[in-house]
């Protein structure tokens, strides 16, 4: 069915388009009889004013754009939920783009935000975004990075200290006597993953008798983790890692299942540490030790920062907030509740 527009209402009511607009938006400027006639036509035709057009005429869209790496990961879902909390409190809505670990999709989402003229953008980046961010900023669309940092110190951000997180996870395994370690992560080009590995390597460097083997996967899903767990289980015990740090909980939970399915005990033979501390970590078959990120709080803080920029609050042009990691120890490394 054809969408009913303001021209259809004007034609049905026998008035001008400007009269319809005034009757709906400034009824005091139109006679009561004309207001009644226009409203009767609106009801009969089931006309719904186009919200986006109204907002743009007012100089704003009422929308924040947000792009995340993979919303199937509960960490990113929580980031979005936090951003929506803050946006809703400010009378705004969030248009979400899921990049699915695809840099081209990410650029497409940012171009969409530009076309629909969002009031501001929250970006949790997968790939390099220099030109895309510059285009948004050139159109006076403020941007805040989420779970990332702008090395140039221009774009404000809310991030997590992933180097400290990787180090914390690894030091936990080392403190339990684990010395043949592995880091299992997806996409070495992702900055957060690189930082976690850097932290893990720094911890291992303090122990001359310890080693760490990077193992790269294409995706972060639990089925990929399970496949790698099964593969590691086939190694001779002396060649198998006795401690594994993963780049997220999905991989870790899959790894644990893969190892156990091949007869390798967790944590007796291999201790496993995840990352993010998603809800499922605590209720997995073997409850998972994980590095906790306050995802919802980070999303909320990023949106609040963006809203502050939009409202003209006297915040500095560049703001960077960093959250620190917390290790939550569970049975996948400690062996007991």
């Amino acid at each position: 069915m054809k969408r009913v527009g303001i021209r259809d209402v004007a034609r049905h009511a026998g008035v001008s388009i400007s009269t319809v607009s005034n009757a709906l938006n400034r009824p005091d400027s139109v006679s009561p009889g004309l207001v009644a006639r226009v409203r009767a036509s609106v009801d009969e035709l089931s006309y719904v004013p186009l919200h986006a057009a109204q907002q743009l005429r007012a100089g704003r869209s009422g929308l924040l754009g947000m792009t995340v790496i993979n919303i199937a990961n509960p960490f990113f879902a929580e980031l979005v939920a936090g951003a929506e909390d803050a946006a809703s409190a400010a009378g705004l809505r969030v248009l979400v783009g899921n990049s699915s670990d695809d840099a081209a999709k990410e650029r497409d989402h940012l171009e969409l935000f530009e076309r629909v003229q969002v009031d501001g953008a929250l970006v949790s980046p997968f790939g390099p975004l220099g030109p895309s961010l510059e285009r948004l900023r050139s159109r006076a669309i403020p941007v805040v990075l989420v779970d990332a940092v702008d090395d140039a110190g221009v774009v404000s951000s809310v991030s997590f200290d992933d180097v400290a997180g990787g180090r914390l996870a690894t030091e936990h395994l080392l403190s339990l006597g684990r010395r043949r370690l592995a880091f299992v992560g997806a996409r070495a080009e992702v900055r957060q993953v690189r930082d976690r590995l850097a932290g893990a390597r720094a911890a291992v460097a303090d122990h001359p008798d310890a080693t760490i083997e990077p193992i790269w996967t294409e995706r972060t899903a639990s089925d990929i983790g399970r496949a790698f767990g099964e593969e590691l289980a086939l190694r001779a015990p002396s060649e198998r890692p006795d401690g594994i740090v993963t780049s997220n909980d999905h991989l870790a939970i899959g790894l644990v299942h893969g190892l156990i399915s091949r007869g390798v005990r967790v944590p007796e033979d291999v201790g496993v540490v995840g990352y993010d501390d998603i809800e499922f970590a605590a209720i997995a078959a073997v409850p998972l030790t994980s590095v906790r990120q306050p995802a919802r709080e980070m999303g909320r803080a990023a949106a609040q920062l963006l809203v502050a920029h939009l409202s003209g609050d006297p915040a500095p042009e560049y703001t960077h907030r960093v959250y620190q990691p917390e290790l939550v120890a569970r049975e996948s490394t400690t062996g007991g509740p």
Side-chain angles (χ1 to χ4, degrees):
M1 294 180 61
K2 178 185 175 184
R3 181 186 178 92
V4 175
I6 193 170
R7 292 180 183 276
D8 300 309
V9 175
R11 189 179 302 112
H12 188 274
V15 298
S16 67
I17 292 175
S18 61
T19 297
V20 174
S21 178
N22 288 332
L24 295 177
N25 299 305
R26 295 176 295 280
D28 292 343
S29 66
V30 182
S31 71
L34 283 178
V35 170
R37 191 194 309 177
V38 168
R39 288 181 174 168
S41 294
V42 166
D43 291 341
E44 187 171 340
L45 296 175
S46 300
Y47 169 66
V48 178
L50 187 58
H51 174 75
Q54 290 178 324
Q55 293 287 77
L56 288 173
R57 282 195 296 271
R60 58 191 291 271
S61 69
L63 292 173
L64 301 181
M66 184 171 189
T67 178
V68 295
I69 294 174
N70 188 350
I71 206 165
N73 183 334
F75 169 76
F76 292 107
E78 283 293 295
L79 275 184
V80 171
E84 287 180 330
D85 289 343
S88 179
L92 301 168
R93 296 183 180 180
V94 181
L95 174 65
V96 180
N98 176 33
S99 300
S100 301
D101 298 330
D102 186 327
K105 270 189 179 181
E106 185 172 66
R107 289 191 297 271
D108 288 344
H109 293 320
L110 294 179
E111 288 174 7
L112 173 63
F113 297 162
E114 184 182 348
R115 289 198 302 272
V116 302
Q117 299 179 49
V118 296
D119 294 333
L122 298 163
V123 180
S124 181
F126 173 74
L129 293 176
S132 298
L133 294 185
E134 278 305 310
R135 276 202 309 274
L136 289 173
R137 288 167 54 82
S138 70
R139 290 182 174 269
I141 298 174
V143 177
V144 172
L145 298 179
V146 192
D147 195 31
V149 183
D150 177 23
D151 292 327
V154 175
V155 180
S156 293
S157 59
V158 173
S159 70
F160 188 75
D161 191 340
D162 282 302
V163 174
R167 180 164 195 138
L168 187 63
T170 307
E171 286 175 342
H172 173 66
L173 290 171
L174 292 166
S175 73
L176 297 172
R178 313 287 179 164
R179 291 296 182 269
R180 295 189 312 277
L181 306 184
F183 178 91
V184 179
R187 303 288 186 137
E189 66 268 30
V190 177
R191 176 173 180 158
Q192 296 94 318
V193 177
R194 292 199 311 271
D195 284 351
R196 292 166 197 177
L197 175 58
R201 281 175 163 157
V204 167
D206 293 336
H207 296 264
D209 59 337
T211 60
I212 186 162
E213 172 191 2
I215 299 173
W216 299 111
T217 70
E218 280 300 310
R219 295 186 292 113
T220 59
S222 55
D223 62 323
I224 296 295
R226 182 182 179 109
F228 273 84
E230 293 173 351
E231 183 179 317
L232 289 172
L234 297 176
R235 294 186 184 182
S238 61
E239 297 176 1
R240 182 191 307 139
D242 61 6
I244 300 175
V245 176
T246 64
S247 65
N248 72 23
D249 286 341
H250 274 184
L251 278 174
I253 290 170
L255 268 167
V256 170
H257 280 265
L259 290 166
I260 291 175
S261 71
R262 298 289 185 175
V264 176
R265 300 170 300 168
V266 176
E268 291 86 354
D269 301 324
V270 182
V272 179
V273 181
Y275 208 99
D276 294 336
D277 195 34
I278 64 175
E279 180 181 358
F280 301 115
I283 59 175
V286 179
L288 183 67
T289 293
S290 187
V291 175
R292 175 174 292 167
Q293 295 195 81
R296 192 164 191 137
E297 185 178 344
M298 290 169 62
R300 186 182 299 115
Q304 288 171 340
L305 179 57
L306 186 55
V307 169
H309 285 311
L310 291 172
S311 62
D313 285 0
E317 185 175 341
Y318 171 75
T319 302
H320 177 45
R321 181 172 181 180
V322 184
Y323 285 82
Q324 294 300 315
E326 174 191 355
L327 184 87
V328 182
R330 298 191 182 96
E331 285 90 320
S332 70
T333 58
T334 63

